[in-house]
Amino acid sequence: MIPPSHPRYRSLMKREHLAHCAKNGIVSLEGLTAHGRGEAFDYLIGERTMDSALLAERTSAALLLSARQPVISVNGNTAALAAPQIAALQKACGAKVEVNLFHWTPSRVLAIEDLLRNAGSQVFSGTYEQLLPLPHDRAWCRRDGMYSADVVLVPLEDGDRCGALAEMGKTVIAIDLNPLSRTARTANLTIVDELTRALPQITRACTELTQSERDHLITSLDNHYLLTEAIREMTMRLSHALD
Ligand code: ATP
């Protein structure tokens, strides 16, 4: 039992939950180590949403709302940490929710789809084909889902898949606490924030933005600026860490 008064309560509860989800097959063991990398970066940014991330989250809402066929791609960690927040975002922006896994097995896909449905998402499922320009399992996706999407939100994606989607001409929005990762640098828009903080901010922006605000956010999108700002905010915090 972790007492709620513990200063790291939220973080410890997340770890315990992810460990449980690893035991029942939702989260891969590799997913646990990816979470650890994310936690380290979250420590560096002070476990809060930075100004640059908020701008990225609002821009992300604008892109999702303006898309012809937006898709939210969900992996094991995302489903385990944020299934209700995915459902809320789907309601706000009308995107398809599709399971896409790095460590792909049919039974894992079905288990994650069930988890998402139970949390309120309408999950886009059906036949998988090897359609992405990548070797082996990572090429799997659905023709009427991610393959046909114009805008794809990929929380916690790996660099290769992110690059493949961008090469296919899609607008790729990544959520990644590491502003230096290949994913962060390959995506068209990178949100350097923790998943469970980022998703509600995008959802809120979906309900708030006017058409002219959306247009302005999209035309002024500059991912290099957003990443540079994220690193600057991180560095500022680090340089005063022991004050
Ligand atoms: P890349 O292939 O993009 O260079 P990587 O090898 O780190 O990066 P993964 O191992 O797939 O890619 O790691 C996933 C990324 O997700 C990590 O960079 C980590 O910082 C990030 N991450 C993990 N958990 C969270 C979370 N809860 N919220 C936001 N980002 C997270």
Side-chain angles (χ1 to χ4, degrees):
M1 272 296 285
I2 302 160
S5 57
H6 192 290
R8 307 290 311 149
Y9 179 73
R10 277 173 56 82
S11 160
L12 293 176
M13 288 300 286
K14 263 191 202 151
R15 285 186 190 177
E16 195 168 275
H17 178 62
L18 284 171
H20 170 75
C21 290
K23 284 181 194 134
N24 68 20
I26 298 284
V27 170
S28 66
L29 291 179
E30 293 80 357
L32 293 182
T33 58
H35 181 77
R37 180 176 289 172
E39 275 192 332
F41 277 98
D42 208 15
Y43 227 101
L44 298 184
I45 66 175
E47 296 172 309
R48 76 204 152 92
T49 298
M50 298 185 287
D51 291 346
S52 55
L54 193 55
L55 175 59
E57 284 151 1
R58 289 172 65 76
T59 309
S60 156
L63 286 170
L64 289 167
L65 289 171
S66 307
R68 172 184 49 78
Q69 184 176 314
V71 167
I72 305 169
S73 173
V74 179
N75 66 7
N77 282 39
T78 302
L81 289 173
Q85 293 93 326
I86 292 286
L89 177 56
Q90 180 180 44
K91 282 195 185 75
C93 74
K96 285 183 176 167
V97 168
E98 182 179 344
V99 174
N100 281 287
L101 303 179
F102 189 94
H103 300 283
W104 190 91
T105 66
S107 61
R108 262 195 90 210
V109 173
L110 290 177
I112 294 170
E113 288 180 348
D114 276 352
L115 174 63
L116 292 169
R117 282 197 188 95
N118 289 336
S121 282
Q122 287 188 12
V123 179
F124 183 72
S125 58
T127 314
Y128 271 99
E129 297 172 68
Q130 290 195 313
L131 295 170
L132 301 185
L134 285 170
H136 57 82
D137 284 356
R138 290 183 295 148
W140 291 107
C141 75
R142 292 171 167 112
R143 192 170 287 281
D144 294 326
M146 192 192 240
Y147 183 72
S148 317
D150 54 342
V151 174
V152 192
L153 173 64
V154 285
L156 327 186
E157 186 54 273
D158 95 298
D160 282 3
R161 275 174 55 108
C162 183
L165 292 169
E167 270 169 36
M168 290 166 79
K170 301 180 191 310
T171 300
V172 183
I173 306 165
I175 301 175
D176 193 334
L177 278 159
N178 176 4
L180 304 170
S181 74
R182 289 173 307 148
T183 300
R185 287 180 288 129
T186 312
N188 301 88
L189 169 61
T190 307
I191 298 166
V192 182
D193 200 2
E194 202 279 325
L195 175 73
T196 60
R197 292 196 302 268
L199 291 172
Q201 291 288 4
I202 304 171
T203 303
R204 183 184 317 166
C206 283
T207 63
E208 286 176 359
L209 292 177
T210 63
Q211 185 63 51
S212 66
E213 284 171 327
R214 281 193 227 170
D215 294 344
H216 175 71
L217 285 165
I218 292 173
T219 49
S220 48
L221 165 55
D222 178 349
N223 208 38
H224 186 265
Y225 166 80
L226 290 171
L227 290 175
T228 306
E229 274 298 291
I231 292 166
R232 190 187 61 77
E233 287 181 72
M234 219 179 247
T235 313
M236 282 270 290
R237 188 167 183 281
L238 275 179
S239 57
H240 296 289
L242 298 179
D243 289 356

